[in-house]
Amino acid sequence: MKSNFAADAPAERKERSWTAVLAQYKQPSPARSTLEIAVTALPFVALWTLSAVAAVYGYWWGLLLTIPAAGFLVRLFILQHDCGHGALFARRSANDWTGRVIGVFTLTPYDYWRRTHAVHHATAGNLDKRGIGDVNTLTVGEYHALPWWGRLRYRLYRHPLVMFGFGPAWLFICQYRLPLGLMRAGVQPWTSTIVTNLGIALPVASLMWLMGVGPFLMVQVPITLMAATAGVWLFYVQHQFEETHWSEDDDWNFQHAALHGSSHYDLPFPLRWITGNIGIHHVHHLSAKVPFYRLPEVLRDHPDLRDIGRITFLQSLRCVKLVLWDESAKRLVSFREARAA
């Protein structure tokens, strides 16, 4: 999982100019963006409907369709994510209203999420500005300074069963029902959350009345849980890898943190497509307004970016054990490594 430093060198020399270099990729295509919405939303609705019909008539094998449906729900979230960055359409109103509608499907209040995610982009890799829109990460020193119950709580939080099991379910089903973290940030987070909740409640109540509570839950619950787990996993791997970058505020630099604090999750093509190229995350953090469908163009035109922070799917599985930032070694380590040190 070590970076290819020979390949990193050219990128290091060009790091200061990446903002200007990537500016040419920011222009979205309205036709392409509309097509991407169609080829994502229509299959999702079709798969959900077929799964629902199967559940109502007792064809339980039809519930296997919830697996690809969850994949398309993840892709819908990526579209909402691009709207939040103003990257899917040129007009902000088009981005915002598209994102708000998609938020009903993803159970994510768009305006609330957009604000917390903006904080994440502005502070990623900054040790002095952790806590909003990111995975809670302690340094080795901070962890050892905690009382035993604090260490136990952190260990439970970072346990895979919580991080990728209970955590995603809590985040999308419960936490997003209130603007936690922005409770005093004005009316917009509250409005976004309440309106999204109403937008979710009305179709849910209608579908439960139409098809029955049991069949609805048999379709919606697995889709939601699988998509939520996949989404949290992607976000985790994008920043929680061995060669990631963290620094104190005085030494923090936006472009360096974006380039070296975000991974290039090099997935097979089908997974790249269904996840909307979000694995090209270091480029996304360098310039968040580049539409997701143009990210591969950047790697094609600038091959020196391909090996920076690159991890494969198999390598990403080893990232689960990396839970603490070792300030002396400047890398993420496991609990065992921290104890040995």
Side-chain angles (χ1 to χ4, degrees):
M1 206 182 301
K2 300 287 185 182
S3 298
N4 185 332
F5 291 105
D8 287 359
E12 281 287 337
R13 290 194 295 270
K14 292 176 64 178
E15 186 173 335
R16 292 180 181 273
S17 65
W18 280 123
T19 300
V21 168
L22 298 181
Q24 62 181 303
Y25 300 94
K26 290 182 179 181
Q27 186 62 35
S29 165
R32 175 67 183 274
S33 295
T34 302
L35 176 63
E36 295 291 350
I37 293 172
V39 300
T40 306
L42 293 178
F44 171 74
V45 172
L47 288 165
W48 199 101
T49 302
L50 289 172
S51 297
V53 171
V56 168
Y57 288 98
Y59 298 113
W60 308 123
W61 57 265
L63 294 177
L64 291 173
L65 295 175
T66 60
I67 299 173
F72 280 99
L73 185 58
V74 170
R75 201 169 197 269
L76 274 175
F77 187 88
I78 301 302
L79 296 175
Q80 181 184 10
H81 167 267
D82 260 33
C83 288
H85 288 294
L88 202 59
F89 296 103
R91 295 177 56 189
R92 176 170 177 174
S93 59
N95 283 299
D96 288 347
W97 284 107
T98 301
R100 288 166 185 149
V101 171
I102 295 175
V104 173
F105 292 90
T106 62
L107 309 184
T108 306
Y110 170 77
D111 296 282
Y112 159 57
W113 175 86
R114 179 167 60 89
R115 290 186 64 171
T116 59
H117 193 63
V119 173
H120 163 67
H121 269 258
T123 60
N126 191 324
L127 286 170
D128 296 321
K129 295 181 179 179
R130 290 167 284 169
I132 296 181
D134 56 13
V135 175
N136 185 27
T137 305
L138 297 180
T139 67
V140 172
E142 289 169 342
Y143 174 75
H144 285 311
L146 290 173
W148 69 267
W149 62 86
R151 293 194 296 272
L152 176 61
R153 185 169 62 244
Y154 185 73
R155 277 181 171 271
L156 289 174
Y157 168 76
R158 296 298 297 236
H159 192 281
L161 185 61
V162 174
M163 183 64 65
F164 308 113
F166 299 121
W170 169 260
L171 177 66
F172 284 91
I173 296 174
C174 301
Q175 185 171 323
Y176 281 162
R177 308 285 66 82
L178 284 173
L180 298 177
L182 295 177
M183 301 288 279
R184 300 180 180 179
V187 69
Q188 190 181 49
W190 283 97
T191 303
S192 174
T193 303
I194 293 170
V195 172
T196 301
N197 290 342
L198 290 174
I200 294 167
L202 293 175
V204 165
S206 300
L207 287 167
M208 283 184 172
W209 174 80
L210 181 66
M211 58 186 289
V213 175
F216 173 82
L217 294 177
M218 282 191 291
V219 173
Q220 186 60 42
V221 169
I223 290 176
T224 298
L225 295 182
M226 286 187 287
T229 296
V232 169
W233 170 257
L234 287 169
F235 185 78
Y236 181 92
V237 173
Q238 288 157 7
H239 298 284
Q240 301 282 316
F241 60 104
E242 187 174 2
E243 296 301 312
T244 193
H245 168 82
W246 288 83
S247 61
E248 287 78 14
D249 193 42
D250 290 341
D251 298 322
W252 186 85
N253 173 270
F254 173 80
Q255 289 199 80
H256 188 81
L259 192 61
H260 299 284
S262 306
S263 67
H264 172 202
Y265 196 20
D266 196 359
L267 294 169
F269 175 76
L271 292 179
R272 279 205 310 273
W273 188 88
I274 204 70
T275 58
N277 300 314
I278 199 63
I280 310 176
H281 208 65
H282 58 327
V283 176
H284 169 65
H285 264 259
L286 282 170
S287 186
K289 287 184 72 67
V290 175
F292 74 93
Y293 50 78
R294 301 201 66 182
L295 291 173
E297 294 180 41
V298 177
L299 293 188
R300 180 198 66 197
D301 298 342
H302 304 282
D304 46 345
L305 286 171
R306 292 176 185 169
D307 291 329
I308 300 177
R310 179 180 177 272
I311 55 175
T312 65
F313 178 76
L314 290 178
Q315 289 173 329
S316 72
L317 299 178
R318 297 198 292 268
C319 295
V320 175
K321 67 179 182 179
L322 304 175
V323 292
L324 294 167
W325 177 253
D326 188 328
E327 292 182 282
S328 59
K330 302 296 182 185
R331 67 184 184 91
L332 286 174
V333 297
S334 66
F335 286 120
R336 179 177 296 179
E337 290 173 306
R339 185 167 60 250

